[in-house]
Amino acid sequence: CSAIDACETSNGGCSARAECRRTTPGNRVCICNAGYTGDGIVCIEINPCLENNGGCDRNAECTQTGPNQAVCNCLKGYSGDGKRCTYISLCSQNNGGCSEFAVCNDTELTERTCTCKDNYIGDGFKCRGNIFQELLRDSNTSRFYFYLEAMSIRDIAGPGPFTLFVPRTDVLNSDPRVKNWIARGVMAQVLRYHMVGCASLMYNDLTTINNVTSLHGDPIRISYSQNSLVLNNKAEVILSDAVGTNGVIHVINQILVP
């Protein structure tokens, strides 16, 4: 007589995911393979993510990759190896995308707010100071700023409101009269002729009036036709409504002469 091998046929009736082991003649035990659990007759794949998040950090996602195998990936807004995840402050890099003149505050995991600092206005992503400061920040108006500084004219640094008509930088650079005005000591008068006090006049406001009085004291004539706003019948407004905390800047294509 020979001993009966209970595992010889159909894996001894064990699961295909189990090992059949002979014990005594005609008997066997079924042991689930690694990564599986059960009585050996039925073996179910172990999902490690179902218990303790698979050993992943609580701010990580556990993803099963095989029997009793998983990977850990930090959730959005966190960094790390998945076993340990650290919160990433959106404000810690590049001020969270806010303006350099804004305060960035983390609110939720993937959210932050941008708020302009005191003495600045805007949506937090773009913040503007007073119009004197804003002149320097725009290449179209920076030359006008340097002339104001050279002449020690700081009227528009005050509380305002002001409306400013600024000849574009290339116009100021190329007009031969500028050197003559400086030599004659009248450049300050020319600059003040481009400033209007006590009012912050937007483009739409200017289309409804005929003239304004400059800080120099002389009037500036305004005409509007065919979607074009012209000052003194010569200088056209080509960029408009750059709003600051104390007024508004309009860029013109010629110098106004009192």
Side-chain angles (χ1 to χ4, degrees), residues 138-141 164-166 168-169 203 206 229 236-242 248-253:
D138 187 336
S139 61
N140 286 312
T141 58
L164 203 56
F165 301 107
V166 181
R168 199 171 56 196
T169 289
Y203 188 95
L206 295 170
L229 190 64
E236 183 180 355
V237 175
I238 52 177
L239 296 169
S240 62
D241 295 350
V248 60
I249 299 170
H250 305 288
V251 179
I252 54 179
N253 63 356

Side-chain angles (χ1 to χ4, degrees), residues 111-126:
E111 300 293 333
R112 52 91 180 87
T113 59
C114 302
T115 307
C116 292
K117 296 178 180 178
D118 291 343
N119 300 318
Y120 288 87
I121 60 172
D123 59 6
F125 297 98
K126 185 174 183 180

Side-chain angles (χ1 to χ4, degrees), residues 83-154:
K83 296 292 185 181
R84 182 173 181 180
C85 299
T86 305
Y87 173 63
I88 302 172
S89 169
L90 294 178
C91 296
S92 65
Q93 297 180 346
N94 194 33
N95 200 31
C98 303
S99 164
E100 61 180 309
F101 304 111
V103 176
C104 179
N105 286 304
D106 289 291
T107 53
E108 298 178 12
L109 296 183
T110 57
E111 300 293 333
R112 52 91 180 87
T113 59
C114 302
T115 307
C116 292
K117 296 178 180 178
D118 291 343
N119 300 318
Y120 288 87
I121 60 172
D123 59 6
F125 297 98
K126 185 174 183 180
C127 298
R128 299 175 296 279
N130 66 48
I131 55 176
F132 189 66
Q133 295 169 308
E134 293 305 304
L135 286 173
L136 184 60
R137 296 174 61 190
D138 187 336
S139 61
N140 286 312
T141 58
S142 57
R143 174 55 66 182
F144 192 84
Y145 170 89
F146 290 127
Y147 279 126
L148 293 179
E149 281 283 83
M151 302 289 162
S152 298
I153 299 173
R154 299 187 63 87

